[in-house]
Structure formats: C-alpha cells, structure tokens
Amino acid sequence: MSKRKSKETSSANEECISQVQRIFRERFCHQCPSGKLFGLELQYKHLLELLKRTTIHGESNSALIIGPRGSGKTMLLNHVLKELMEIKEVRENLLQVHLNGLLQTNDKIALKEITRQLQMENVVGDKVFGSFAENLSFLLEALKKGDRENSCPVLFILDEFDLFVHHKNQTLLYNLFDISQSAQTPVTIIGLTCRQDILELLEKRVKSRFSHRQIYLMNSFDFKQYLKIFKEQLYLPAEFSDKTFTQKWNKNVQSLSEDKTVQDVLRNHFHCSKDLRSLHMLLMLALSSITVSHPFMTGADLLEASKLCRMDSKANIVHGLSVLEICLIIAMKHLNDVYEGEPFNFQMVYNEFQKFIQRKAHSMYNFEKPVVMKAFEHLLQLELIKPVDGPSVRAQREYQLMKLLLDNSQIMDALQVYPNCPTDVKQWATSSLSWL
Amino acid sequence: MEIMSTRQQCKRIYSWVGREKRGILIKSERSVKEMCILVGEFVLVEGENADQPFVAKLLKLYEDGSQEKRAVVQWFSRISEVPLNKRKLLQREVSSQEIFLDKVPGYDTDINVEAIIRNVKVIPLAPEEAVPLRSHRKQIFFVKESWDGKCFKPLSPGLLSELKEEKKKKPESLSPSTDCQVFPLDFICSLKVETDRVTRSAMKTKNSQMEIESRHSSSKSSLSKERHSQRVANGIHTPGARKKLELNSPTKSKSKLTGCDVLELLSDDCDALEALEPSANKRKVTFTQILGSPPKISRTKDEPDSPQNNGGDWPKIVETIRISPYRRGQGSSLKAKNLGEKDDDTRHFNGRNEEEETEERARESRKRTKQAITSTSSCKSDTNLAEEEVLKTRSPVMTPRSHRKCVQKTTARIAEQLHFLNTSVPDEEDNYLPSTDSSDSSSSEEEESVVPCTPKRKIRSSVTLSTPKSLRKPSDTTPAKTTRKAPEPRTPKTPRNATPRIPIRKQATENPDNVLEEARLRLHVSAIPDSLPCREEEFQDIYNFVESKLIDGTGGCMYISGVPGTGKTATVHEVIRCLQQAAENDKLPSFQFIEINGMKLTDPRQAYVQILQLLTGQKVTAAHAAVLLAKLFCTPGPKRKTTVLIVDELDLLWTRKQDVMYNLFDWPSQKQAKLIILAIANTMDLPERIMMNRVASRLGLTRMSFQPYTYKQLQQIISSRLNHIKAFEEDAIQLVSRKVAALSGDARRCLDICRRSTEICEFSSQKTASQLVSMAHVMKAIDEMFSSPYINSIRNASLHEQMFLKAIIAEFRRSGLEEATVQQIYHQHVALCRIEGLQIPTVSEIMAVCSRLGACRFLLVESNNKYLHVRVRLNVSQDDVMYALKQE
C-alpha cells in the first residue's frame, strides 16, 4: 500500500519535474515577450508612446535603442509591440518591416526584403526583383504616394543597425530617415544596436535627418535588485498545476536567495557580467541537475553551474594533452620568459626540451625529433600556439615563428590539476633555472 | 501609333516640289511610297515624345545658307501640351483629337524639314460645332479654338474660313475627303465621300500592296528601332494587356447591341477609308459586308478577337483586317468599349438623320427576325441579323466599291479562311498587335484594371498552338518574321510602371486633442509651413535667377551649398512653388519642373534614367538615356518648354570621369536646351574640391551659400511654426534655439528637440494642469539627445568591466603606449583584483569582458583570432573613464 503510494507520488513528482523543466527552459532559452522586464519601465513607456503616436496620429519618427548585448533591446521592443498589437486600431493599421543587419548585408537585399514584407511584389508582377535602381525608385514612389491621413503607417525595425551604416552611401538609411522627415507615408524607424558611438557613424546628412531620439538600456541595477531578479526568474508561476509543489519550490528559491554560498556565486557572476542572458545561462545549467530524486535546486548546483560557466576553455584543452606536449608548452613558457614574449620556432622549443631531457629529466623518455615535431603540430592544430605570419609564408616548418596563446598562469593552473604529472616536469615548470 | 508605322523607313529623302518650293516630297529609300506635302497643309513634327508628335501647319519652305531645308510652321497644341491647370479653363471634355491653334509666344516656328513626319488632316470647326468623337484614329485632328498660353479663344471667323479655304483649294491633294468635314451633316455627302474615296483608292491600288509590305518589313528595321525604341519600351506590353481587356468581356452586353453599333463600326470603316493611304485591305472589308457574311455572326462590339467570335462575321474581319496592315485599331478597340455610351455624340457627326433612320429600320427588322429565328443562340443571331439588315439599308451607299473584282476575290478568300479556321483569328491578331505598339496615355491604367483576369492567357496560348502555319497565308502581307517575333512581348502581364501604393489605413488618424499635441504636429519637420521665415534673401536670389532665365528662355546653373538642415531644399521648393503659381497666373512662361536626388539614386548614372523618365515618361537604360537626353537638349528641338531641374545632393553624382556632372552642367549651356539647373550640396567648395576644371567651369559662378541659422532665426522658425499656440515658455524656445545654434544651426534638430520637450512635458505633467513646456523640459530633451552616453554606460557596467578599463589605463601608464595586448591587461587586471580582494577571473572571462566592451565600442579591439595577443585601444578618452569610475 505504502509502496504504491510512494510510486504514485513519484510519478506525480516526475510529472511536476518535467513541467518545471519545460517552464524554465522556455523562460531561459526563448525570448518570449511574456517574460518580465526589469528596470526598463521608462524606456518601455517612451517607446510605447512613440509607436502609439505613429499608428494613431500618423506621426513619423525615428529612434535608436542602444544598449550592450543582452540588455534586453529586442525584448523591450517585443514587449512594446505585443502591447501595441492588443490595441485594435493599431493592429489593423500598422505594417511592420523587420530587417537585420546580419541578413540584409547590402541595400539591394534590404530593398527586396522591404518590398516583400510590405507585400508589394504583386504590384510589380513578374518584375518583383528588377534592378536595384528600379527597386529603389519603386519603393520610394510607393512611400511617397502616401500621406499622413490616409496611409497605413509603416514600422521599420532595423536590428543590428550599426551594420546598415556600412552600406554604400547609407542610401537606405538616408531614404528611410528622409521619409520620416517629410510629408509622405508615416514611418517609424527603430534601430537596435549595441554600439555607443552609433551617431558618429552616420553621415552628416543622414544624421541631420535622424531625430536623435536615443533610448539607452544600461542594466542599471545593483546586486540587491539582481537577487530579486534571480528570485523572480526562478519562481514558479501561480498557475502551475501542483500547488503544493509550487509552494515548496518557491520556498526553496527564497531560502536559496538567502543562502551565503548562493549569494557569493551570484555576486561573482554579477561582477563579471550584469546582463540577464548570462544569468539565464547559469540558471539553465543549474536547472539541468534537477531530477526526480533531486527535485529542488541547491547551492551546490549553482556552484557547479558557476564553475562550468567560468571554465577557462584553453586551460581545459591543456588537461587533455600528453606529457610530451605539456613539456613542449613548458619549454615555450620558458622561452617566453627569457625572450619576453618574442616569437619562437620549433627548433628553439626542441633545443629547450633537449636541455631539460639531458640535464633534468629522470622519468622522461627522449623522443625522436619527428615525434616531437608531431606533438608540436598537434599543439598547432589545437590553436595553443599560432604562427605569427599567415600560412602563406613558406618557411621550413621547423623555423616558422610561433606564439604561445596561453598565459603563464593558465599553464601553472593546468599543471596543478593535470593527472599523473611527473614531478620533475612540475619542478621544471616552476623554474627553468632550477637545474643550475 | 500608325504615325510611327508610316515612318519606319530607314532613310528618307526630302526634296522640293517645284522650283518655288511649293511643297516637299518625302521619299523613303525602302519603299516606293512617296509623300507629298504642300505648303498650307498640316503636318506632324517629330517631338521629344515620339508617340505625341507635334501638329503644325506648313507655312513656308526655304533653304538656308548651308543648303539645309527649313520650314516655317504654325504650331498647334494638343491638349496634353496645355498645362493641367489651364485645361479646366475650357470647361469641357476635350478629346485627344482636338488641337488648338497655338499662339503661345516664344516657340521657334522655324524647323528643320527633316523633323516633319508626314502630313495629317486637321479639320477646322466653327465654334458652335461640336468636336466629333467618332473617329478612333489619331490621324484626324479638329481645331476649334486657339490657345495663347493664357486662355482659349474660339477661332476667328476669318481664320476659320481661311483654314477651310485651304482645305478646299486642293481637293485633288492627299486629303481629298475634307469636304466631308466641311459639310458634314449631309446624307448625300457621305455618298460623295464614298465615290471620292473610291476614285482615290483606285489611283493608289497598285502601290498599296507594296506599301503594306514595306511597312511590315520595316517594323524590324533597325532605324525604326533606334528612332522610336522608347516606344518599344513602353508600348510593348500594351497589346497583351489590351488583349486581355478585350477578352475579358466576351459576353458583355451582347443583348444590348443594336444596329447603331454596327453602324458605328461601319462608320469606323469609313474613317479608315478616309485615311490618307487607303489600301486594298480596307476595301476588302467593305466588300465582305456587301457579300453578306455567313449568318453565324456573333456580335462584336469591343472584342474583335474573342474566341467565341467565330470567324466569318464581318465586324471582326473589319477589325482584324484593319488592324493588321494599318497597325491601328488599338485605340479603336479600346475606345470601342465606350462607344455604347457615346453613341449619340458619335452619330451626331455622322449624320443624325441617317443614323436614326437606320436604327429604326434595324429595330423593325430585329422584331421581324426574332419571330423567324429558329437557329442557335437567339440573342446572338438576332443582333446579327439586325446588323445584316443594317447592311442592306446601307448597301446602296457602298455599291461603288463592288466594281473592284480582284479585291472582292481576295476579301472573299480571307473571309472564307477566317470562317473556316476561326481560331486563327485571335492568334493572328495577337501577333499583329505587339508590332502595332500603340501607347496612349491611358493604356497603363487600363491595363491595371484588367490585370486580374488570368484564364485568358490559356485560351490564347492554346489557340496559338493549334494554329497551322499556313493559316497566316490570307494575310500574306505579314512577313513570317513578324509573327515569330511577336510572342515575346506578350509576357509582361502587369505594367512595369504600375503605381505602387502603401495600403490605406483602416481607421482615420486621430486629430490632436490638446495644445501639446497640436504643437507637436506643427513642429514636425514634415509639416509644411505657410512660409519659410529667415530665408527671404536666399529665396529672392534664387527666385530672381530662375525667373530671369525663364523670361529670357535661356538656361543656366546655380550652385547652392549649406550644412544639413539649413533649409536649402525647402527654399528651392518654395521658389518653384511660387514660380509655378506665377506661371499659372500667366506672369511667367510655363515651365517643367523635375527633381532628382543623388542620395536616392543607386548609381550616379541613374540620374539620366530618372531625368528622362521625369521628362518624357520613358524608361530606358542609363547609357541610352544619356544619349536620348543629349539629343533632347542639344538638338534644336522645336517648341520646348523650359525645364527647371533640381539636383539635390550633388556630390553623390561624382564619378571618376565626372561624366554625369559634366553632362548635367553642359546641357544648360546649349542654346536650345532651355534648362535651368539648381544644384544643391553641403560643401561650399565642392566645385573646387571634387570637380575637374571643365566641370567646375560649366557650373559657373552663380553660387549661393546657406549659412547655419542663428539663434534668432531658429527662434523665429519655432514661433512661426507654433503660430500663436501657447505651448512653450518664451525662455524655453530661446534656450533651444541658442543651444542648437551653438551646436550646428540645424533647424531639424531644433524642431526635434522641441517635439521631444513637449513629450517630456506631457509625460511629467499628467496630473498638473499647467501644460506649458518649460526650461526644465527642454533641458531634459537636450540632455537626452546630446549628452554623451559613455559615462553613464561605464557607470552601469559590471565590476569586472570597470576593472578591465582601469587595468587598461594602468597598462597604458606603465608602458607609455596607447595600445596594449589583452595578456598585458590581464596581468594588470589580476593585480587589481588582488588589491580589491575580488575573485580572480579566468582568461575566458576576461576575453568575454573584452569582447563585450569592444561590441559597445568602449574599446577598439583588433578583429582577429590572436586570443591573448589581440591589441586593444580605448575609444573613450582616459579622462572620461577616470571621471566615470572615480565617482563611485
């Protein structure tokens, strides 16, 4: 009887856990506009009012949303658009054109995309994608035909706005901004960029036509708010099916946020980067450790996740190297120390290695030169070392100049955790002069 | 349309008629046809638009010093040449065939003889006479009033009689049926016309066949291509579309047809016969009528080629045949659509009595036949029989024609074949149509409206497939090549120059409901102010410049410079607006205004394309446009209005060879060009800096520079825009103006700040009643727009990001260089972390921090994968960084 009951509870638990996983995965990995905005109320209001005026009053505008990566520019815009679309007269009146600087790499492609998104190809018939010039004049004519009272406002959203700046003559930007400053079809141009110097990139005529409306997103919250956000992000929604589980889970989150180790982990993370996307990454990693047998998140989980996040990728590679390769890296390190970071070639490394073998090594086997060469090339493939000049320079392989892409501290750290490292190698690593 | 077809010969020889230069003989190399134009006749003169040649009366012929044949003409204006705003002076609909005696001063009446295309018939009408609508062709023009650039006046009786005199003076000349127009309301007259025509045609028969041949072959001649290639460009798609139009309504209003429609067609036919070059085919048509076509005639009003119209019915043959050799009927088929409604007017000219009589008879006969009919589609055959009836009633009129046996035979043969293989008719016609290539102005609209009907194409193509080649025999005048070439232009289904449009909004825009919103609306840059304050001087200068050139009828260039937002384009547009107004009020000669913008071109050479398109509506390639424009501006074109061309953002028209700029500035210096160019750019010394000497020299020294606005001017601009709306405190306006004047003097900026201030004001004072934009609001707006974002951003960066910036500065100080590698900075960073007691970040974390800062452009980071050896520089001044970091 009790067995069956426990089975039932476990299956119920299983159900809960899978739901929890689903909810959080959605929250962390998708940029769903249902998520919450933190500390962006003013910007939100500004943007919302701006777009409302465009759609309702037919007022042309232009604005830039500027903020570092992961500060929620797109999310802000999506939130605003979502709210706008709930207003009936906006939904029926607004045309949207979404462009991305990474996709529309030149004005020609951008124009085609605009024509497509405005669904005007049918007007051109077979000649949808005529020449660039035709396309431009077609589009300009189309937009010129409209006026404030009668035309449907068009919202242009230019993601990665800074990349549009590099298009030839900034033709697209000039024309869009020009329309927004003249009595034609009402348009609003919203640019999203992370570059703070974006205005300096605009050509003077384009700049003059831009309204200089800039909406900055700054991640301007302190650690207390960060903790709050952390809690908000982890709380289960009230509409979760299993109420008792929700209660337990939320209680656990509350206690987590008060836990010292958790706070330390979060503080370190906060110091490193403030953006919420990296917090999501951390929580996602912690979340993946949740199973039926381990239904609640613990401080240890977060610590583990944080370790994963902070992992040094290059040092990780070093852990998987052979002893010979480690020796080569140590030899390079010594060369770097001696020559103050000047580049080296294989022959130098080999000589250094030979010195070590002859004078110091007791456990090391003296490898043939081709074997050492092979190990050296493996390091090259792993990009732990990098040729100074491009591959085009045809020097003999032994004499090609290289640079080590590891810092001394990284090498020493890696050696600390390297399994079964011979002691003489370790000693050699600490000091190249110890053989004296 | 057929104007073109008549002059498709590759070379034409002009020679005098008689020693005293009584007339001119135009002979083409390719054909035997000769055209004789006598002094006093009306001629078509080649113009900039090949589809709309000028109409003129030949007054005098002479030879100038260099043995060049010249002619003095009296111009006539088409309605399309009259400015739009003046057309309403007429207070009536004007058919495209009505022309006006041109008394506008300033047109060169001395032309080169080679510009004459051919003669044309112009019929003078007394003021009380209505302009007949019956003719479908453009070959006949009617003149009723004169036009002197200001108003329309009826022709003075003396002039009218003079014109008529000239008509009568030479009835043996090439337009023999003029008397018909002089006494048009006579039944007997039409008989007379018939005979007249027949005699005339008899003279010409031997030539006609050859003529037709030459015309067909010449359609592929290279010269005609070159001469009127633009026709091909905009005309080619027309036939297809029109075809659709015709096919579109095959069942439309069949039952509505009456005999008068038939009469309509008959009279059309008469028109055709009155044409200047009658041909055998036309006569064939009439014979078919007499022969009595097979009873299974379907009524064709406006769908001569509809598949349901099985061959053998005479109206179709009329259409088909007329279309094929004459390249006509394009307009007619279109117009025919309207004929139903226009019946009355049309008949009016043709002789009302006759028409009414026939109609009555037709009605009677219909009644009769209705009872008698037992065969298939009752409605169809009903009308058909009625038509036959009508034919009978008219047959006496036509009898003279039946003398011509051979013609009769061929016609019968054609009729037979058409009847036998009725499907071939649409096909053939299809093939003819593209080469006929008309393009009247309304065609594009027509096409648009017809576009959606798709199934027609299927019909057409299937027809094409089923047509045996031999079928084309009956129209043996058509060379095979034409038929083969024809299908290609069919493809465009939609006009290339369709007018695109943004969808219309569903809900109306809301009107501003408070003072601030009203102010915002007025302050928007796009709002067009009633007047442009603060640019009065510049306005006057530009106005005077253009005005003087307009009055002199010469050309010239003016270069206007000024930093962005100083009102260059706005002022120039204002000038043009005023000039246009003046021209409307007849204070100035009328002119054509076009505008191009360097920024709106994808390539400097596209400027040619745009100019040509704006001037003449043609769409050609850049290279060809350059040639056409050069021809337009450099050859002594008769009767051209002055063109005012605004070239905005001139610097973007720069090419390595500077040919675009060179040409632009070279044209105004041509005597005949009558081109005024206003070039606008930002830099004052643009001509000296980027232009070659020869270009700069052509641009001339008429320069004007727009100074940035001073704060007083900005203040005035804002107040004039607000126009007594009390939304701003005076001080606030002054603050904005002073701030902007100090920064750039850009009026756009000024208005933007004001607009933003109203928003801030509205946002902050939602509760309080006082809705006046104050200094604080303006300050906030200015701060938002101009404050450097760096310091604020740095303050909001994460701790390690700030630390990294500190480490950079520390490293710079250590090394004394303004550049460091990430490795070096990392060491500094680690040291700083040790001091602060922070957790030491890994290299990966540091790299991430570095790339984040790089993405925001606090740092300039080398973009390669050197990892630790990537070099980094600061993009912000060190002082700013220190200032931002110290405050904490």
Side-chain angles (χ1 to χ4, degrees), chain B residues 18 40 45 69 157 182 232 248 262 284 312 361 370 416 458 486-487 577 585 589 731 743 855:
Chain B
V45 180
K69 299 184 172 65
V182 184
V232 182
N248 201 13
V262 182
K284 285 177 209 164
R361 251 175 282 163
K370 221 172 222 167
E416 203 175 36
K458 243 186 250 164
R577 234 188 333 267
N585 300 337
D731 290 347
L743 276 167

Side-chain angles (χ1 to χ4, degrees), chain B residues 181-193:
Chain B
Q181 273 71 37
V182 184
F183 324 100
L185 307 174
D186 203 332
F187 191 87
I188 309 146
C189 167
S190 65
L191 259 175
K192 194 173 157 198
V193 174

Side-chain angles (χ1 to χ4, degrees), chain B residues 447-460:
Chain B
E447 279 159 21
E448 257 186 290
S449 63
V450 178
V451 168
C453 83
T454 35
K456 304 307 173 222
R457 277 203 87 210
K458 243 186 250 164
I459 296 165
R460 228 201 292 159

Side-chain angles (χ1 to χ4, degrees), chain A residues 4-33:
Chain A
R4 188 183 293 167
K5 202 173 183 181
S6 73
K7 227 178 197 173
E8 265 172 20
T9 51
S10 82
S11 75
N13 250 353
E14 223 168 273
E15 184 65 25
C16 280
I17 295 298
S18 73
Q19 274 195 36
V20 166
Q21 298 264 15
R22 192 177 49 77
I23 288 171
F24 286 114
R25 244 180 257 139
E26 228 162 65
R27 195 179 285 174
F28 297 148
C29 299
H30 297 264
Q31 283 194 323
C32 52

Side-chain angles (χ1 to χ4, degrees), chain B residues 4 7 14 44-50 52-54 75 114-117 227-228 631 637-638:
Chain B
M4 276 29 276
R7 46 178 343 228
Y14 294 79
L44 290 179
V45 180
E46 207 173 321
E48 48 212 79
N49 191 344
Q52 293 261 303
F54 296 122
W75 291 113
E114 270 153 50
I116 295 175
I117 300 172
R227 257 198 167 165
H228 305 295
K631 192 184 157 217

Side-chain angles (χ1 to χ4, degrees), chain B residues 444-697:
Chain B
S444 68
E445 281 131 285
E446 287 282 4
E447 279 159 21
E448 257 186 290
S449 63
V450 178
V451 168
C453 83
T454 35
K456 304 307 173 222
R457 277 203 87 210
K458 243 186 250 164
I459 296 165
R460 228 201 292 159
S461 57
S462 67
V463 163
T464 320
L465 286 171
S466 67
T467 317
K469 253 209 175 135
S470 60
L471 279 184
R472 294 189 184 124
K473 274 258 170 80
S475 59
D476 47 1
T477 49
T478 318
K481 202 163 179 195
T482 325
T483 27
R484 234 178 295 130
K485 246 171 83 182
E488 83 189 68
R490 266 192 232 159
T491 28
K493 288 172 290 285
T494 29
R496 216 182 303 168
N497 44 2
T499 42
R501 237 199 128 76
I502 296 290
I504 289 170
R505 58 185 298 148
K506 305 223 166 52
Q507 258 102 24
T509 44
E510 274 177 26
N511 284 325
D513 46 3
N514 64 36
V515 181
L516 284 176
E517 278 180 18
E518 174 81 35
R520 203 178 303 139
L521 197 66
R522 284 161 177 275
L523 286 172
H524 199 284
V525 184
S526 70
I528 298 161
D530 310 325
S531 65
L532 281 176
C534 316
R535 287 291 181 223
E536 289 84 7
E537 240 174 77
E538 286 86 353
F539 175 88
Q540 204 55 50
D541 285 356
I542 301 172
Y543 188 91
N544 290 346
F545 173 79
V546 181
E547 191 187 31
S548 65
K549 298 281 176 200
L550 275 179
I551 291 170
D552 297 349
T554 55
C557 300
M558 184 177 207
Y559 177 72
I560 299 165
S561 65
V563 293
T566 47
K568 302 178 295 296
T569 312
T571 309
V572 170
H573 277 140
E574 186 73 15
V575 167
I576 297 295
R577 234 188 333 267
C578 287
L579 285 169
Q580 273 169 341
Q581 210 131 44
E584 244 174 70
N585 300 337
D586 307 319
K587 286 174 197 143
L588 281 175
S590 67
F591 61 94
Q592 193 172 10
F593 160 59
I594 54 177
E595 183 188 16
I596 58 168
N597 185 326
M599 270 291 206
K600 294 183 179 173
L601 305 172
T602 51
D603 176 88
R605 263 161 251 277
Q606 287 292 322
Y608 297 133
V609 180
Q610 293 240 321
I611 294 171
L612 190 73
Q613 201 187 351
L614 290 166
L615 269 178
T616 64
Q618 305 165 26
K619 237 180 178 178
V620 293
T621 60
H624 192 194
V627 174
L628 287 177
L629 281 176
K631 192 184 157 217
L632 190 67
F633 287 122
C634 299
T635 51
K639 207 184 167 187
R640 193 183 313 117
K641 275 191 230 166
T642 306
T643 306
V644 179
L645 170 64
I646 296 183
V647 185
D648 214 343
E649 316 291 4
L650 176 73
D651 48 331
L652 286 169
L653 296 184
W654 187 87
T655 50
R656 218 165 48 78
K657 280 171 72 189
Q658 308 200 355
D659 48 342
V660 179
M661 284 184 176
Y662 178 87
N663 279 334
L664 272 182
F665 299 130
D666 192 39
W667 291 329
S669 56
Q670 302 286 331
K671 188 177 133 265
Q672 312 85 356
K674 290 192 175 179
L675 180 66
I676 303 168
I677 289 187
L678 301 172
I680 305 176
N682 289 130
T683 33
M684 191 151 47
D685 56 347
L686 188 81
E688 284 72 36
R689 266 204 319 177
I690 68 165
M691 288 185 198
M692 293 176 191
N693 287 337
R694 55 164 188 247
V695 179
S697 132

Side-chain angles (χ1 to χ4, degrees), chain B residues 244-510:
Chain B
K244 267 183 222 152
L245 169 88
E246 290 153 6
L247 290 168
N248 201 13
S249 51
T251 51
K252 203 172 89 193
S253 69
K254 277 236 163 90
S255 53
K256 254 172 44 188
L257 299 163
T258 57
C260 62
D261 285 317
V262 182
L263 257 185
E264 199 50 61
L265 280 161
L266 279 171
S267 65
D268 279 358
D269 189 37
C270 291
D271 286 347
L273 287 161
E274 281 161 15
L276 292 162
E277 307 109 348
S279 74
N281 292 39
K282 258 181 209 156
R283 262 166 274 121
K284 285 177 209 164
V285 172
T286 38
F287 283 125
T288 335
Q289 295 162 14
I290 294 149
L291 285 168
S293 41
K296 212 188 128 210
I297 302 166
S298 74
R299 171 59 198 100
T300 53
K301 181 184 153 207
D302 49 3
E303 60 275 25
D305 49 346
S306 81
Q308 287 98 317
N309 267 339
N310 294 337
D313 58 334
W314 65 266
K316 190 172 68 197
I317 299 166
V318 172
E319 287 284 338
T320 321
I321 291 175
R322 209 202 299 138
I323 284 162
S324 45
Y326 267 90
R327 313 249 179 266
R328 186 158 16 90
Q330 307 257 68
S332 72
S333 59
L334 255 182
K335 278 179 194 160
K337 211 182 159 195
N338 301 329
L339 279 177
E341 300 106 70
K342 288 182 184 166
D343 263 348
D344 295 306
D345 315 277
T346 328
R347 250 180 284 137
H348 165 80
F349 187 78
N350 242 15
R352 188 169 275 274
N353 303 338
E354 179 203 71
E355 290 266 355
E356 268 163 20
E357 264 176 45
T358 31
E359 204 185 339
E360 221 157 280
R361 251 175 282 163
R363 231 175 269 138
E364 272 173 28
S365 69
R366 223 176 320 151
K367 255 183 245 158
R368 259 184 282 131
T369 43
K370 221 172 222 167
Q371 293 144 9
I373 276 162
T374 49
S375 65
T376 52
S377 56
S378 62
C379 146
K380 240 188 200 174
S381 52
D382 170 22
T383 41
N384 293 336
L385 284 172
E387 281 159 15
E388 275 185 282
E389 195 72 35
V390 173
L391 271 180
K392 270 173 217 156
T393 61
R394 281 195 63 137
S395 52
V397 180
M398 293 163 193
T399 31
R401 273 172 276 173
S402 57
H403 298 316
R404 309 206 48 78
K405 270 263 165 64
C406 59
V407 179
Q408 194 173 344
K409 235 187 263 168
T410 41
T411 324
R413 203 172 60 219
I414 290 172
E416 203 175 36
Q417 254 150 353
L418 286 172
H419 180 51
F420 181 61
L421 289 151
N422 44 54
T423 42
S424 73
V425 175
D427 178 43
E428 270 179 25
E429 188 166 326
D430 216 6
N431 291 332
Y432 295 137
L433 277 166
S435 52
T436 48
D437 123 304
S438 86
S439 59
D440 58 41
S441 55
S442 68
S443 66
S444 68
E445 281 131 285
E446 287 282 4
E447 279 159 21
E448 257 186 290
S449 63
V450 178
V451 168
C453 83
T454 35
K456 304 307 173 222
R457 277 203 87 210
K458 243 186 250 164
I459 296 165
R460 228 201 292 159
S461 57
S462 67
V463 163
T464 320
L465 286 171
S466 67
T467 317
K469 253 209 175 135
S470 60
L471 279 184
R472 294 189 184 124
K473 274 258 170 80
S475 59
D476 47 1
T477 49
T478 318
K481 202 163 179 195
T482 325
T483 27
R484 234 178 295 130
K485 246 171 83 182
E488 83 189 68
R490 266 192 232 159
T491 28
K493 288 172 290 285
T494 29
R496 216 182 303 168
N497 44 2
T499 42
R501 237 199 128 76
I502 296 290
I504 289 170
R505 58 185 298 148
K506 305 223 166 52
Q507 258 102 24
T509 44
E510 274 177 26

